[in-house]
Amino acid sequence: MNAIILTGSIATGKSTVASLLKLYGYTIISADEIAHKKLVEYSNKIKEMFGTNDRKELGKIVFNDKSKRKELEKFLHPKIKEEILKESNRLEDYGVPYFLDIPLYFETGNYKEFKNIVVVYTPKEIQIQRLANRNNISLEEAQKLVNLQIDIEEKKQKATYVIDNSQNLKHLQKEVDKFINYLKK
C-alpha cells in the first residue's frame, strides 16, 4: 500500500535518484543488493548451473546467451521477490511511503501487486552515450545492453510518475524535489 516502485533502464540515473531519496529520509529496498546477496548465498548452485559463480563471468554468459539468462532469472527472481515482499511487509507497519528499487520491474512482470511506479527517464540516445562512457565500452556494445531491456519510451508510458533525467544533476535534483512535493500531496 505504501510501496512505490522505482525503476528505469540501464544508465537512466535510477541509482542517483535512489540516493537522493535516501537523503530525504526515505527507505529504499534494492533488488540489486538483494540479488548480490542471493548470488553469494547460492554461489555453489550457480557454479553448478553455469560453471562459474564469478559475477563478471556470469554476466558475460547471460549477456550472450538468452536461454542462460532466462535460466538464471528463473532461479534467482523468485528468491529476490520473496526477500522484497518480506521487507515490504515489515515496512508497511510504519504507514509511510518507501521505495522498491527494481531495475527490471517491467521486464520480469513479477511485481503486479505494486501499483505506484516511478520511472527515471532519459532519452535513449543519452542513455547509450552515458552507458558507453560509464562502462568504458563502445556505443555498439552500449546499444546492445540497452536493447536487452524494454524500451524506455514504453516504460515512460506505463509510469504513474516520471522523473526526467535528460539534463544535469542540478536539473535532476529539481525533478526529485518536484516528485517529493507530489508525494506529500
Side-chain angles (χ1 to χ4, degrees), residues 137-155:
I137 58 176
S138 70
L139 289 174
E140 293 76 26
E141 287 176 283
Q143 176 81 48
K144 284 180 186 176
L145 286 170
V146 167
N147 287 342
L148 288 175
Q149 297 180 340
I150 293 172
D151 189 270
I152 190 65
E153 297 299 331
E154 186 178 334
K155 291 179 181 184

Side-chain angles (χ1 to χ4, degrees), residues 33-43 46 75-76 79-80 82-83:
E33 287 176 17
I34 292 169
H36 294 308
K37 288 179 193 170
K38 296 300 175 188
L39 282 170
V40 171
E41 184 179 341
Y42 293 98
S43 65
I46 290 168
F75 178 74
L76 279 183
K79 292 163 180 43
I80 295 166
E82 180 182 349
E83 189 70 26

Side-chain angles (χ1 to χ4, degrees), residues 48-177:
E48 183 183 304
M49 292 170 71
F50 299 96
T52 184
N53 55 14
D54 178 78
R55 280 186 46 224
K56 284 189 177 183
E57 287 298 314
L58 193 58
K60 288 178 190 173
I61 291 168
V62 299
F63 174 67
N64 292 310
D65 185 336
K66 189 176 182 178
S67 67
K68 293 285 187 190
R69 185 170 57 252
K70 293 284 184 204
E71 186 180 347
L72 181 63
E73 289 171 355
K74 186 177 178 185
F75 178 74
L76 279 183
H77 284 230
K79 292 163 180 43
I80 295 166
K81 182 176 182 178
E82 180 182 349
E83 189 70 26
I84 286 172
L85 291 178
K86 189 171 103 180
E87 279 295 303
S88 292
N89 287 330
R90 185 183 64 77
L91 290 172
E92 282 297 324
D93 292 341
Y94 297 109
V96 296
Y98 60 93
F99 293 87
L100 304 176
D101 179 349
I102 305 177
L104 299 176
Y105 171 77
F106 291 109
E107 286 78 1
T108 64
N110 285 342
Y111 301 91
K112 297 196 185 320
E113 57 270 27
F114 300 105
K115 303 297 179 210
N116 296 312
I117 305 155
V118 175
V119 169
V120 180
Y121 172 79
T122 300
K124 198 171 192 175
E125 319 76 64
I126 297 172
Q127 184 185 0
I128 292 166
Q129 187 64 56
R130 285 179 182 171
L131 181 60
N133 292 342
R134 183 186 80 189
N135 291 16
N136 197 27
I137 58 176
S138 70
L139 289 174
E140 293 76 26
E141 287 176 283
Q143 176 81 48
K144 284 180 186 176
L145 286 170
V146 167
N147 287 342
L148 288 175
Q149 297 180 340
I150 293 172
D151 189 270
I152 190 65
E153 297 299 331
E154 186 178 334
K155 291 179 181 184
K156 182 180 176 184
Q157 295 303 313
K158 294 178 178 181
T160 308
Y161 193 94
V162 175
I163 295 176
D164 177 68
N165 186 23
S166 61
Q167 297 177 34
N168 56 28
L169 188 57
K170 189 174 183 176
H171 175 263
L172 180 60
Q173 177 69 53
K174 287 179 183 174
E175 284 287 302
V176 172
D177 289 344

